[in-house]
Amino acid sequence: MKKIIVLLITVFCFNTVIAQNNAIKITNVNTNKEKIIKENRRIKLKTTDGQKIKGRFKVENNNTLIIDNVRINLTDIDELKRNPLLTSILVTGFLVYGGSITLGFSVLVGVLADSSAFWLTIPAAGMIYTGIKAPNFNKNHKMDKGWKFELISLPD
């Protein structure tokens, strides 16, 4: 029994010693400003051929990412930004529900009181459409704006 406990403790200690987290390091060439996005975070990127991909990323090797079983070479990334889930849910929910309430209010007031209230359906429809498209207000890091991407290993 003691041997099993010692073996388990040794395995856990060995695991924490050699375990490293992978990440994307985004560096601005002009200002040397750095940002780090750890592995398994949600990102949104656009490749040089115009393909847009979003999801959680994993690092395959020193120059390849995997997002939703799509392999992307680091040199093929044109722009990259964080895409946090909480922000997406809150912004989408606010826009869709706010647009729905505005739409219902404008129809109700237009029918019962003043027909000019129907004009509020236009911004309401815009709010609902924008909410469905799920906007991302985080900063976009583009290659042509001086940002450089590289994959790094972070020690625990």
Coordinates of all heavy atoms in Angstrom, one line a residue, residues 15-112:
N15 N 4.5 15.0 -13.0 CA 3.6 15.6 -13.9 C 3.6 17.1 -13.8 O 3.6 17.9 -14.8 CB 2.2 15.1 -13.7 CG 1.2 15.6 -14.8 OD1 1.6 15.9 -15.9 ND2 -0.1 15.7 -14.4
T16 N 3.6 17.6 -12.6 CA 3.6 19.1 -12.4 C 4.9 19.7 -12.7 O 5.0 20.9 -13.1 CB 3.2 19.5 -10.9 OG1 4.2 18.9 -10.0 CG2 1.8 19.1 -10.6
V17 N 6.0 18.9 -12.6 CA 7.3 19.4 -13.0 C 7.5 19.6 -14.5 O 8.0 20.6 -15.0 CB 8.4 18.5 -12.4 CG1 9.8 18.9 -13.0 CG2 8.5 18.6 -10.9
I18 N 7.0 18.6 -15.3 CA 7.2 18.7 -16.7 C 6.0 19.3 -17.5 O 6.2 19.6 -18.6 CB 7.5 17.3 -17.3 CG1 6.3 16.4 -17.1 CG2 8.7 16.7 -16.7 CD1 6.3 15.1 -18.0
A19 N 4.9 19.6 -16.8 CA 3.8 20.1 -17.5 C 4.0 21.6 -17.9 O 4.5 22.4 -17.1 CB 2.5 20.0 -16.6
Q20 N 3.6 21.9 -19.1 CA 3.7 23.3 -19.6 C 2.5 23.6 -20.3 O 1.9 22.8 -21.0 CB 5.0 23.4 -20.5 CG 6.3 23.3 -19.8 CD 7.4 23.5 -20.7 OE1 7.3 23.5 -21.9 NE2 8.6 23.8 -20.1
N21 N 2.1 24.8 -20.2 CA 0.9 25.3 -21.0 C 1.4 26.0 -22.2 O 2.3 26.8 -22.2 CB 0.1 26.3 -20.1 CG -0.5 25.7 -18.9 OD1 -0.9 24.5 -19.0 ND2 -0.6 26.4 -17.9
N22 N 0.8 25.7 -23.3 CA 1.1 26.4 -24.6 C 0.2 27.6 -24.7 O -0.9 27.7 -24.2 CB 0.8 25.4 -25.8 CG 1.7 24.3 -25.8 OD1 2.9 24.4 -25.4 ND2 1.2 23.1 -26.1
A23 N 0.7 28.6 -25.5 CA 0.0 29.8 -25.7 C 0.4 30.5 -27.0 O 1.4 30.1 -27.6 CB 0.3 30.8 -24.5
I24 N -0.4 31.5 -27.4 CA 0.0 32.3 -28.5 C 0.5 33.6 -28.0 O -0.2 34.3 -27.2 CB -1.2 32.6 -29.5 CG1 -1.8 31.3 -30.1 CG2 -0.8 33.6 -30.6 CD1 -3.0 31.5 -30.9
K25 N 1.7 34.0 -28.4 CA 2.2 35.3 -28.0 C 2.1 36.3 -29.2 O 2.5 36.0 -30.3 CB 3.7 35.2 -27.6 CG 4.3 36.5 -27.1 CD 5.6 36.3 -26.4 CE 6.7 36.8 -27.3 NZ 8.0 36.7 -26.6
I26 N 1.3 37.4 -28.9 CA 1.1 38.4 -30.0 C 2.0 39.6 -29.6 O 1.8 40.2 -28.6 CB -0.4 38.8 -30.0 CG1 -1.3 37.5 -30.2 CG2 -0.7 39.8 -31.1 CD1 -2.7 37.8 -29.9
T27 N 2.9 39.9 -30.5 CA 3.8 41.0 -30.3 C 3.7 42.1 -31.3 O 3.6 41.8 -32.5 CB 5.3 40.5 -30.3 OG1 5.3 39.4 -29.4 CG2 6.2 41.6 -29.8
N28 N 3.6 43.4 -30.9 CA 3.6 44.5 -31.8 C 5.1 44.8 -32.1 O 5.8 45.1 -31.2 CB 2.9 45.7 -31.3 CG 2.6 46.7 -32.3 OD1 3.4 46.9 -33.2 ND2 1.5 47.4 -32.2
V29 N 5.4 44.8 -33.4 CA 6.8 45.0 -33.8 C 7.2 46.4 -33.5 O 8.3 46.7 -33.1 CB 7.0 44.7 -35.3 CG1 8.4 44.9 -35.8 CG2 6.6 43.2 -35.6
N30 N 6.3 47.4 -33.7 CA 6.6 48.8 -33.5 C 6.8 49.2 -32.1 O 7.7 50.0 -31.7 CB 5.5 49.7 -34.2 CG 5.3 49.3 -35.6 OD1 6.3 48.9 -36.3 ND2 4.1 49.4 -36.1
T31 N 5.9 48.7 -31.2 CA 5.9 49.2 -29.8 C 6.4 48.1 -28.8 O 6.5 48.4 -27.6 CB 4.5 49.6 -29.4 OG1 3.6 48.5 -29.4 CG2 4.0 50.8 -30.2
N32 N 6.7 46.9 -29.3 CA 7.1 45.8 -28.5 C 6.1 45.4 -27.4 O 6.4 44.9 -26.3 CB 8.5 46.0 -27.8 CG 9.6 46.0 -28.8 OD1 9.5 45.3 -29.8 ND2 10.6 46.8 -28.6
K33 N 4.8 45.8 -27.6 CA 3.7 45.4 -26.7 C 3.4 43.9 -26.9 O 3.3 43.5 -28.1 CB 2.5 46.3 -27.0 CG 1.4 46.2 -26.0 CD 0.3 47.2 -26.3 CE -0.7 47.2 -25.2 NZ -1.8 48.1 -25.5
E34 N 3.2 43.2 -25.8 CA 3.0 41.8 -25.9 C 1.6 41.4 -25.3 O 1.3 41.9 -24.3 CB 4.1 41.0 -25.2 CG 5.4 41.1 -25.9 CD 6.5 40.2 -25.2 OE1 6.2 39.7 -24.1 OE2 7.6 40.1 -25.7
K35 N 0.9 40.4 -25.9 CA -0.3 39.8 -25.3 C -0.1 38.3 -25.4 O 0.4 37.8 -26.4 CB -1.5 40.3 -26.0 CG -1.8 41.8 -25.8 CD -3.1 42.2 -26.4 CE -3.3 43.6 -26.1 NZ -4.7 44.1 -26.4
I36 N -0.6 37.6 -24.4 CA -0.6 36.2 -24.4 C -2.0 35.6 -24.3 O -2.7 36.0 -23.4 CB 0.4 35.7 -23.3 CG1 1.8 36.1 -23.5 CG2 0.3 34.2 -23.1 CD1 2.8 35.8 -22.5
I37 N -2.3 34.7 -25.2 CA -3.6 34.0 -25.1 C -3.2 32.5 -24.9 O -2.6 31.9 -25.7 CB -4.4 34.2 -26.4 CG1 -4.6 35.6 -26.7 CG2 -5.7 33.4 -26.3 CD1 -5.3 35.9 -28.1
K38 N -3.7 32.0 -23.7 CA -3.4 30.6 -23.4 C -4.2 29.6 -24.2 O -5.2 30.0 -24.8 CB -3.7 30.4 -21.9 CG -2.7 31.2 -21.0 CD -3.1 30.9 -19.5 CE -2.1 31.6 -18.6 NZ -2.4 31.4 -17.2
E39 N -3.7 28.4 -24.3 CA -4.3 27.4 -25.0 C -5.7 27.0 -24.5 O -6.0 27.2 -23.3 CB -3.4 26.1 -25.0 CG -3.9 25.0 -25.9 CD -2.9 23.8 -25.8 OE1 -2.3 23.6 -24.8 OE2 -2.9 23.1 -26.9
N40 N -6.6 26.6 -25.3 CA -7.9 26.2 -25.0 C -8.8 27.4 -24.7 O -9.9 27.3 -24.1 CB -8.0 25.2 -23.9 CG -9.2 24.3 -24.0 OD1 -9.8 24.2 -25.1 ND2 -9.6 23.7 -22.9
R41 N -8.4 28.6 -25.2 CA -9.3 29.8 -25.1 C -10.0 30.0 -26.4 O -9.5 29.5 -27.5 CB -8.4 31.0 -24.8 CG -7.6 31.0 -23.5 CD -8.5 31.3 -22.4 NE -7.7 31.4 -21.2 CZ -8.1 31.1 -20.0 NH1 -9.3 30.5 -19.8 NH2 -7.3 31.2 -19.0
R42 N -11.1 30.7 -26.4 CA -11.8 31.0 -27.6 C -11.2 32.1 -28.4 O -10.9 33.2 -27.8 CB -13.3 31.3 -27.3 CG -14.0 30.1 -26.8 CD -15.4 30.5 -26.3 NE -16.1 31.4 -27.1 CZ -17.0 31.1 -28.0 NH1 -17.3 29.9 -28.2 NH2 -17.6 32.1 -28.7
I43 N -10.9 31.9 -29.7 CA -10.3 33.0 -30.5 C -11.1 33.0 -31.8 O -11.8 32.1 -32.2 CB -8.8 32.8 -30.8 CG1 -8.6 31.5 -31.5 CG2 -8.0 32.9 -29.6 CD1 -7.2 31.3 -32.0
K44 N -11.0 34.1 -32.5 CA -11.6 34.3 -33.8 C -10.5 34.7 -34.7 O -9.8 35.7 -34.4 CB -12.7 35.3 -33.7 CG -13.5 35.6 -34.9 CD -14.6 36.6 -34.5 CE -15.7 36.7 -35.6 NZ -16.7 37.7 -35.2
L45 N -10.2 34.1 -35.8 CA -9.1 34.4 -36.7 C -9.6 34.4 -38.2 O -10.6 33.8 -38.5 CB -7.9 33.6 -36.5 CG -8.0 32.1 -36.8 CD1 -7.7 31.7 -38.2 CD2 -6.9 31.4 -35.9
K46 N -8.8 35.1 -39.0 CA -9.0 35.1 -40.4 C -7.7 34.8 -41.1 O -6.7 35.3 -40.7 CB -9.5 36.5 -40.8 CG -9.9 36.7 -42.3 CD -10.4 38.0 -42.6 CE -10.8 38.2 -44.0 NZ -11.3 39.5 -44.3
T47 N -7.8 33.9 -42.0 CA -6.6 33.4 -42.7 C -6.3 34.3 -43.9 O -7.1 35.2 -44.3 CB -6.7 32.0 -43.2 OG1 -7.8 31.9 -44.0 CG2 -6.9 31.0 -42.0
T48 N -5.1 34.1 -44.5 CA -4.7 35.0 -45.7 C -5.6 34.7 -46.9 O -5.8 35.6 -47.7 CB -3.3 34.7 -46.0 OG1 -3.1 33.3 -46.2 CG2 -2.3 35.3 -45.0
D49 N -6.2 33.5 -47.0 CA -7.1 33.2 -48.1 C -8.6 33.6 -47.8 O -9.4 33.3 -48.6 CB -7.0 31.8 -48.5 CG -7.4 30.8 -47.4 OD1 -7.5 31.3 -46.2 OD2 -7.6 29.6 -47.7
G50 N -8.8 34.3 -46.7 CA -10.2 34.8 -46.4 C -11.1 33.9 -45.6 O -12.2 34.3 -45.3
Q51 N -10.6 32.8 -45.1 CA -11.4 31.9 -44.3 C -11.5 32.4 -42.9 O -10.5 32.8 -42.3 CB -10.7 30.5 -44.4 CG -11.5 29.4 -43.7 CD -10.8 28.1 -43.7 OE1 -9.7 28.0 -44.1 NE2 -11.5 27.0 -43.3
K52 N -12.7 32.4 -42.4 CA -12.9 32.9 -41.0 C -13.2 31.7 -40.1 O -14.1 30.9 -40.4 CB -14.1 33.9 -40.9 CG -13.8 35.2 -41.6 CD -15.0 36.1 -41.5 CE -14.7 37.4 -42.3 NZ -15.9 38.3 -42.2
I53 N -12.5 31.6 -39.0 CA -12.6 30.4 -38.1 C -12.7 30.9 -36.7 O -11.9 31.8 -36.3 CB -11.4 29.5 -38.2 CG1 -11.2 29.0 -39.7 CG2 -11.5 28.3 -37.3 CD1 -9.9 28.3 -40.0
K54 N -13.6 30.4 -35.9 CA -13.6 30.7 -34.5 C -13.9 29.5 -33.7 O -14.6 28.5 -34.1 CB -14.7 31.8 -34.2 CG -16.1 31.5 -34.6 CD -17.0 32.7 -34.3 CE -18.3 32.6 -34.9 NZ -19.2 33.7 -34.6
G55 N -13.3 29.5 -32.5 CA -13.5 28.3 -31.6 C -12.3 28.3 -30.6 O -11.5 29.2 -30.6
R56 N -12.2 27.2 -29.9 CA -11.1 27.0 -28.9 C -9.9 26.4 -29.7 O -10.1 25.5 -30.5 CB -11.5 26.0 -27.8 CG -12.6 26.6 -27.0 CD -12.9 25.7 -25.8 NE -14.0 26.2 -25.0 CZ -13.9 27.0 -24.0 NH1 -12.7 27.5 -23.7 NH2 -14.9 27.4 -23.3
F57 N -8.7 27.0 -29.4 CA -7.6 26.5 -30.1 C -6.7 25.6 -29.3 O -6.7 25.7 -28.1 CB -6.8 27.7 -30.7 CG -5.9 28.3 -29.7 CD1 -4.5 28.0 -29.5 CD2 -6.3 29.4 -28.8 CE1 -3.7 28.6 -28.6 CE2 -5.5 30.0 -27.9 CZ -4.2 29.6 -27.8
K58 N -6.0 24.7 -30.0 CA -5.0 23.8 -29.4 C -3.8 23.9 -30.2 O -3.8 24.2 -31.4 CB -5.5 22.4 -29.4 CG -6.7 22.2 -28.5 CD -6.8 20.8 -27.9 CE -8.0 20.6 -27.1 NZ -7.9 21.1 -25.8
V59 N -2.6 23.8 -29.6 CA -1.3 23.9 -30.2 C -0.9 22.5 -30.6 O -0.9 21.6 -29.8 CB -0.3 24.5 -29.3 CG1 1.1 24.5 -30.0 CG2 -0.7 25.9 -29.0
E60 N -0.6 22.2 -31.9 CA -0.2 20.9 -32.4 C 1.3 20.8 -32.3 O 1.8 19.8 -31.8 CB -0.7 20.7 -33.8 CG -0.4 19.3 -34.3 CD -0.9 19.1 -35.7 OE1 -1.0 20.0 -36.5 OE2 -1.2 17.9 -36.0
N61 N 2.0 21.8 -32.9 CA 3.5 21.8 -32.8 C 3.9 23.3 -32.8 O 3.1 24.1 -32.5 CB 4.1 21.0 -33.9 CG 3.7 21.5 -35.3 OD1 3.3 22.6 -35.5 ND2 3.6 20.5 -36.2
N62 N 5.2 23.5 -33.1 CA 5.7 24.9 -33.0 C 5.1 25.9 -33.9 O 5.3 27.1 -33.7 CB 7.2 24.9 -33.2 CG 7.9 24.2 -32.0 OD1 7.4 24.1 -30.9 ND2 9.1 23.8 -32.2
N63 N 4.5 25.5 -35.0 CA 3.9 26.4 -36.0 C 2.5 26.1 -36.5 O 2.2 26.5 -37.5 CB 4.9 26.7 -37.1 CG 5.2 25.4 -37.8 OD1 4.7 24.3 -37.5 ND2 6.1 25.5 -38.8
T64 N 1.8 25.2 -35.8 CA 0.5 24.8 -36.2 C -0.6 24.9 -35.1 O -0.3 24.4 -34.0 CB 0.5 23.4 -36.8 OG1 1.5 23.3 -37.8 CG2 -0.8 23.0 -37.4
L65 N -1.7 25.5 -35.4 CA -2.8 25.5 -34.4 C -3.9 24.6 -35.0 O -4.0 24.3 -36.2 CB -3.5 26.9 -34.4 CG -2.7 28.0 -33.8 CD1 -3.4 29.3 -34.0 CD2 -2.4 27.8 -32.4
I66 N -4.8 24.1 -34.0 CA -6.0 23.3 -34.4 C -7.2 24.0 -33.8 O -7.2 24.2 -32.6 CB -5.9 21.9 -33.9 CG1 -4.7 21.2 -34.6 CG2 -7.2 21.1 -34.3 CD1 -4.5 19.8 -34.1
I67 N -8.1 24.4 -34.7 CA -9.4 25.0 -34.2 C -10.5 24.2 -34.9 O -10.6 24.2 -36.1 CB -9.5 26.5 -34.6 CG1 -8.4 27.3 -34.0 CG2 -10.9 27.0 -34.2 CD1 -8.4 28.7 -34.3
D68 N -11.3 23.5 -34.1 CA -12.4 22.7 -34.6 C -12.0 21.7 -35.7 O -12.5 21.7 -36.8 CB -13.6 23.6 -35.1 CG -14.2 24.3 -34.0 OD1 -14.2 23.9 -32.8 OD2 -14.8 25.4 -34.3
N69 N -10.9 21.0 -35.4 CA -10.3 20.0 -36.3 C -9.8 20.6 -37.6 O -9.7 19.9 -38.6 CB -11.3 18.9 -36.6 CG -11.6 18.1 -35.3 OD1 -10.8 17.9 -34.4 ND2 -12.8 17.6 -35.2
V70 N -9.5 21.9 -37.6 CA -8.9 22.5 -38.8 C -7.5 22.9 -38.4 O -7.3 23.7 -37.5 CB -9.8 23.8 -39.2 CG1 -9.1 24.5 -40.4 CG2 -11.2 23.4 -39.6
R71 N -6.6 22.5 -39.2 CA -5.2 22.8 -38.9 C -4.8 24.1 -39.6 O -5.1 24.3 -40.8 CB -4.2 21.7 -39.4 CG -4.3 20.5 -38.5 CD -3.2 19.5 -39.0 NE -3.1 18.4 -38.0 CZ -3.9 17.4 -37.9 NH1 -5.0 17.4 -38.6 NH2 -3.7 16.5 -37.0
I72 N -4.2 25.0 -38.9 CA -3.9 26.3 -39.4 C -2.4 26.6 -39.2 O -2.0 26.6 -38.0 CB -4.8 27.4 -38.8 CG1 -6.2 27.2 -39.1 CG2 -4.4 28.8 -39.3 CD1 -7.1 27.5 -38.0
N73 N -1.7 26.9 -40.2 CA -0.3 27.2 -40.0 C -0.2 28.7 -39.5 O -1.0 29.5 -39.9 CB 0.4 27.1 -41.4 CG 1.9 27.0 -41.2 OD1 2.5 27.2 -40.1 ND2 2.6 26.7 -42.3
L74 N 0.8 28.9 -38.7 CA 0.9 30.2 -38.0 C 1.2 31.3 -39.1 O 0.7 32.5 -38.9 CB 2.0 30.2 -37.0 CG 1.9 31.2 -35.9 CD1 0.7 31.0 -35.1 CD2 3.1 31.0 -34.9
T75 N 1.8 31.0 -40.2 CA 2.1 32.0 -41.2 C 0.9 32.3 -42.0 O 0.9 33.3 -42.8 CB 3.2 31.5 -42.1 OG1 2.8 30.2 -42.7 CG2 4.5 31.3 -41.4
D76 N -0.2 31.5 -42.0 CA -1.4 31.7 -42.7 C -2.4 32.6 -42.0 O -3.4 33.0 -42.6 CB -2.1 30.4 -43.0 CG -1.3 29.5 -44.0 OD1 -0.5 30.1 -44.7 OD2 -1.5 28.3 -44.0
I77 N -2.1 33.0 -40.8 CA -3.0 33.8 -40.0 C -2.9 35.3 -40.4 O -1.7 35.8 -40.4 CB -2.8 33.7 -38.5 CG1 -3.1 32.2 -38.1 CG2 -3.7 34.6 -37.7 CD1 -2.8 32.0 -36.6
D78 N -4.0 35.9 -40.8 CA -3.9 37.4 -41.2 C -4.3 38.3 -40.0 O -3.7 39.3 -39.8 CB -4.8 37.6 -42.4 CG -4.7 39.0 -42.9 OD1 -3.5 39.5 -42.9 OD2 -5.7 39.6 -43.4
E79 N -5.4 37.9 -39.3 CA -5.8 38.6 -38.1 C -6.4 37.7 -37.1 O -6.9 36.6 -37.4 CB -6.8 39.7 -38.5 CG -8.1 39.2 -39.2 CD -8.9 40.3 -39.7 OE1 -8.5 41.2 -40.5 OE2 -10.1 40.4 -39.3
L80 N -6.2 38.1 -35.8 CA -6.6 37.2 -34.7 C -7.2 38.1 -33.6 O -6.7 39.2 -33.3 CB -5.4 36.5 -34.2 CG -5.5 35.5 -33.1 CD1 -4.8 34.2 -33.4 CD2 -5.0 36.0 -31.8
K81 N -8.2 37.6 -32.9 CA -8.7 38.3 -31.7 C -9.3 37.3 -30.8 O -9.7 36.2 -31.1 CB -9.7 39.4 -32.1 CG -11.0 38.9 -32.6 CD -12.1 39.9 -32.7 CE -12.0 40.9 -33.8 NZ -13.1 41.8 -33.9
R82 N -9.4 37.7 -29.5 CA -10.0 36.9 -28.5 C -11.5 36.9 -28.7 O -12.1 37.9 -29.2 CB -9.7 37.5 -27.1 CG -8.4 37.1 -26.5 CD -8.4 35.9 -25.7 NE -9.6 35.9 -25.0 CZ -9.9 35.1 -23.9 NH1 -9.0 34.3 -23.5 NH2 -11.0 35.2 -23.3
N83 N -12.2 35.9 -28.3 CA -13.6 35.8 -28.5 C -14.2 35.1 -27.2 O -14.7 34.0 -27.2 CB -14.0 34.9 -29.7 CG -15.4 35.0 -30.1 OD1 -16.1 35.9 -29.7 ND2 -15.9 34.1 -30.9
P84 N -14.2 35.9 -26.1 CA -14.7 35.3 -24.8 C -16.2 34.9 -24.9 O -17.0 35.7 -25.4 CB -14.4 36.3 -23.8 CG -13.9 37.5 -24.5 CD -13.8 37.2 -25.9
L85 N -16.5 33.8 -24.3 CA -17.9 33.3 -24.3 C -18.9 34.2 -23.6 O -20.0 34.5 -24.0 CB -18.0 31.9 -23.8 CG -19.3 31.2 -23.8 CD1 -19.8 31.0 -25.3 CD2 -19.2 29.8 -23.1
L86 N -18.5 34.7 -22.4 CA -19.3 35.5 -21.6 C -19.7 36.8 -22.3 O -20.9 37.2 -22.3 CB -18.7 35.8 -20.2 CG -19.6 36.7 -19.3 CD1 -20.8 35.9 -18.9 CD2 -18.8 37.0 -18.0
T87 N -18.7 37.5 -22.9 CA -19.0 38.7 -23.6 C -19.9 38.4 -24.8 O -20.9 39.2 -25.1 CB -17.7 39.3 -24.2 OG1 -16.8 39.5 -23.1 CG2 -17.9 40.6 -24.9
S88 N -19.7 37.3 -25.5 CA -20.6 37.0 -26.7 C -22.0 36.8 -26.2 O -23.0 37.3 -26.8 CB -20.1 35.7 -27.4 OG -18.8 36.0 -27.9
I89 N -22.2 36.1 -25.1 CA -23.5 35.8 -24.6 C -24.2 37.1 -24.1 O -25.4 37.3 -24.5 CB -23.5 34.8 -23.5 CG1 -23.1 33.4 -24.0 CG2 -24.8 34.7 -22.7 CD1 -22.8 32.4 -23.0
L90 N -23.5 37.9 -23.4 CA -24.1 39.1 -22.9 C -24.5 40.1 -24.0 O -25.6 40.7 -24.0 CB -23.2 39.8 -21.9 CG -23.0 39.1 -20.5 CD1 -22.0 39.8 -19.7 CD2 -24.4 38.9 -19.8
V91 N -23.6 40.3 -24.9 CA -23.8 41.3 -26.0 C -25.0 40.8 -26.9 O -25.9 41.5 -27.3 CB -22.6 41.5 -26.8 CG1 -22.9 42.3 -28.1 CG2 -21.6 42.3 -26.0
T92 N -24.9 39.5 -27.3 CA -26.0 38.9 -28.1 C -27.3 39.0 -27.4 O -28.3 39.4 -28.0 CB -25.6 37.4 -28.5 OG1 -24.4 37.4 -29.2 CG2 -26.7 36.8 -29.3
G93 N -27.4 38.6 -26.1 CA -28.6 38.6 -25.4 C -29.2 40.0 -25.3 O -30.4 40.2 -25.5
F94 N -28.3 41.0 -25.0 CA -28.8 42.4 -24.8 C -29.3 42.9 -26.2 O -30.4 43.5 -26.2 CB -27.6 43.3 -24.4 CG -27.9 44.7 -24.4 CD1 -28.8 45.2 -23.4 CD2 -27.5 45.6 -25.4 CE1 -29.1 46.6 -23.4 CE2 -27.8 46.9 -25.4 CZ -28.6 47.4 -24.4
L95 N -28.7 42.6 -27.3 CA -29.1 43.1 -28.5 C -30.4 42.5 -29.0 O -31.4 43.1 -29.5 CB -28.0 43.0 -29.6 CG -26.9 44.0 -29.4 CD1 -25.8 43.6 -30.4 CD2 -27.3 45.4 -29.6
V96 N -30.5 41.1 -28.9 CA -31.7 40.4 -29.3 C -32.9 40.8 -28.5 O -34.0 41.1 -29.0 CB -31.4 38.9 -29.4 CG1 -32.7 38.1 -29.6 CG2 -30.4 38.6 -30.5
Y97 N -32.7 40.7 -27.2 CA -33.9 41.0 -26.3 C -34.2 42.5 -26.3 O -35.4 42.8 -26.3 CB -33.6 40.5 -24.8 CG -33.5 39.1 -24.7 CD1 -32.4 38.4 -24.1 CD2 -34.6 38.3 -25.2 CE1 -32.4 37.0 -24.0 CE2 -34.5 36.9 -25.1 CZ -33.4 36.3 -24.5 OH -33.4 34.9 -24.4
G98 N -33.3 43.4 -26.4 CA -33.6 44.8 -26.5 C -34.3 45.1 -27.8 O -35.3 45.9 -27.8
G99 N -33.9 44.5 -28.9 CA -34.5 44.7 -30.2 C -35.9 44.1 -30.2 O -36.9 44.7 -30.7
S100 N -36.1 43.0 -29.5 CA -37.4 42.4 -29.4 C -38.4 43.2 -28.6 O -39.6 43.4 -29.0 CB -37.4 41.0 -28.8 OG -36.6 40.1 -29.6
I101 N -37.9 43.7 -27.5 CA -38.7 44.6 -26.7 C -39.1 45.9 -27.4 O -40.2 46.4 -27.4 CB -38.0 44.9 -25.3 CG1 -38.0 43.7 -24.5 CG2 -38.7 46.1 -24.6 CD1 -37.2 43.8 -23.2
T102 N -38.1 46.5 -28.1 CA -38.4 47.7 -28.9 C -39.4 47.4 -30.0 O -40.3 48.2 -30.3 CB -37.1 48.2 -29.5 OG1 -36.1 48.4 -28.5 CG2 -37.3 49.5 -30.2
L103 N -39.2 46.3 -30.7 CA -40.2 45.9 -31.7 C -41.6 45.7 -31.2 O -42.5 46.3 -31.8 CB -39.7 44.6 -32.4 CG -40.5 44.1 -33.6 CD1 -40.4 45.1 -34.7 CD2 -40.0 42.7 -34.0
G104 N -41.7 45.0 -30.1 CA -43.0 44.8 -29.5 C -43.6 46.1 -29.0 O -44.8 46.4 -29.2
F105 N -42.8 47.0 -28.4 CA -43.3 48.3 -28.0 C -43.7 49.2 -29.1 O -44.8 49.8 -29.1 CB -42.2 49.0 -27.2 CG -42.5 50.4 -26.7 CD1 -43.4 50.5 -25.6 CD2 -42.0 51.5 -27.3 CE1 -43.7 51.8 -25.1 CE2 -42.3 52.8 -26.8 CZ -43.2 52.9 -25.8
S106 N -43.0 49.2 -30.2 CA -43.3 50.0 -31.4 C -44.6 49.5 -32.0 O -45.5 50.4 -32.4 CB -42.2 50.1 -32.4 OG -42.0 48.8 -33.0
V107 N -44.8 48.2 -32.1 CA -46.1 47.7 -32.7 C -47.2 48.0 -31.8 O -48.3 48.5 -32.3 CB -46.0 46.2 -33.0 CG1 -47.3 45.6 -33.3 CG2 -44.9 45.9 -34.1
L108 N -47.1 47.9 -30.5 CA -48.2 48.1 -29.6 C -48.6 49.6 -29.6 O -49.7 49.9 -29.7 CB -47.7 47.7 -28.2 CG -48.8 47.8 -27.1 CD1 -49.9 46.8 -27.4 CD2 -48.2 47.5 -25.7
V109 N -47.6 50.5 -29.5 CA -47.9 51.9 -29.5 C -48.4 52.4 -30.9 O -49.3 53.2 -31.0 CB -46.6 52.8 -29.1 CG1 -46.8 54.2 -29.3 CG2 -46.3 52.5 -27.7
G110 N -47.9 51.8 -31.9 CA -48.3 52.1 -33.3 C -49.8 51.7 -33.5 O -50.5 52.5 -34.2
V111 N -50.2 50.6 -33.0 CA -51.6 50.2 -33.1 C -52.5 51.0 -32.2 O -53.6 51.4 -32.6 CB -51.7 48.7 -32.9 CG1 -53.2 48.2 -32.7 CG2 -51.0 47.9 -33.9
L112 N -52.1 51.2 -31.0 CA -53.0 51.8 -30.0 C -53.0 53.3 -30.0 O -54.0 54.0 -29.7 CB -52.7 51.3 -28.6 CG -52.9 49.8 -28.4 CD1 -52.5 49.3 -27.0 CD2 -54.4 49.4 -28.7

